[in-house]
Amino acid sequence: MTSHQQPLPAPPAQPAAPQPLSEAAFRELYRRLRDPNPDGDEERRGALDRLTPERVVAAAAEVRCGRTVSLAAPVETRPGPDSPEPATHRMTAPTHRESAEPGLTFARDRFAMNVHGDVDSHLDALCHVIFDGELYGGVPSSTVTPDGAGALTLDLVRDGIVGRGVLLDIPRLRGVPWLEPGAQVTTEDLVAAETAQRTTVGPGDLLFVRVGHRLRRRDLGPWDVTRARAGLHPTAMGFLAERHVSVLGSDGNSDAAPSAVAGVAFPVHVLAVNAMGLHLLDYLDFEELAEVCEEQGRWHFLCVVAPLRLPAATGSPVNPIAVL
């Protein structure tokens, strides 16, 4: 090193890995976070009840420049280590003969997908997670049949989800491009990200937590996320309960792998959907949004989520839109 060169600053110290939870400790956390009014009403909207008309109006006031940003990734149609059953898209018309005929014809296609896969952006309905034989609010799991779900279905969000979105960027906080698979986001991370980004998560907000999953996948290629992925530590769900958020979304699926809880593979899903009545948005893409938020110096925005009208479904592909 020459005399005029300055040493590079040391990277931020990485937090110690949070401790795993025993199944007994997890069940106690589940008991504490469970919606205190599980009356079994099959038409309850869970945490979406916090999205009052007044909060929707206030969220609309977040729009400053009118820029829109998609939070969805392009649908994948090629198999990979994280997508053994990719979506299928095929053309059904025109045929070669129709293409050559004079007059009118139409191009047509057909699309099919595994809604709850590990690549495509999707929304989890409140009937998606069964725990101890029950859905959210104590609704019996028997309401989910081979013909479709009969309660707490995607139909609860047929009018869409509109509210104030807040993006907390955990890799930005830690000074890294992404969290490595297996890393877990803690309550302390969420609070520190609020402070660093000069924003606050409040009642009715749609909370989006970036772990950098999409950027890592883009730069290094796909991997088997069933074995290793970054996500929230289960205890971080206490932060969401205290702030009374309405929706949780991530560029992963919110759950870390390996699981922090022995015997429970998806503890955050259990706590969010089954205990707290939170709709989850999985495998979103925050890369463009993070850049725009950085440019504008604010990390909150109007967010509009419009699932498909699939009345008996447990989820839907989705394209959330941030409006800044």
Side-chain angles (χ1 to χ4, degrees), residues 196-268:
Q197 297 172 206
R198 298 191 297 276
T199 192
T200 303
V201 179
D205 284 352
L206 285 66
L207 174 60
F208 300 108
V209 179
R210 179 178 177 266
V211 298
H213 180 98
R214 288 290 178 185
L215 181 60
R216 187 183 193 278
R217 186 179 190 272
R218 206 166 294 157
D219 284 3
L220 303 183
W223 70 96
D224 183 357
V225 299
T226 64
R227 295 180 178 274
R229 62 179 177 271
L232 275 65
H233 191 269
T235 55
M237 297 306 293
F239 174 91
L240 280 77
E242 291 171 3
R243 301 304 178 89
H244 302 289
V245 304
S246 62
V247 171
L248 172 62
S250 177
D251 49 350
N253 77 347
S254 292
D255 264 297
S259 173
V261 180
V264 182
F266 294 88
V268 171

Side-chain angles (χ1 to χ4, degrees), residues 94-164:
T95 64
H96 180 71
R97 179 181 59 81
E98 289 172 331
S99 295
E101 289 180 350
L104 175 66
T105 191
F106 294 98
R108 301 190 300 275
D109 46 6
R110 178 172 292 129
F111 170 77
M113 74 180 299
N114 170 19
V115 171
H116 299 288
D118 289 318
V119 171
D120 297 317
S121 305
H122 64 270
L123 178 143
D124 291 343
L126 296 185
C127 58
H128 176 50
V129 179
I130 301 168
F131 189 62
D132 288 344
E134 293 183 344
L135 308 178
Y136 164 69
V139 173
S141 62
S142 59
T143 56
V144 181
T145 74
D147 295 322
L152 304 174
T153 72
L154 192 67
D155 197 49
L156 292 180
V157 289
R158 60 183 176 271
D159 296 321
I161 302 171
V162 180
R164 178 180 183 262

Side-chain angles (χ1 to χ4, degrees), residues 8-9 12 33 35 54 61 68-69 72 90 100 106 119 159 192 208 249 264 270 274 286 292:
L8 294 174
L33 296 182
D35 188 326
E54 294 77 14
T68 60
V69 181
R90 70 180 185 89
F106 294 98
V119 171
D159 296 321
F208 300 108
V264 182
V270 172
N274 191 281
F286 299 140
V292 173

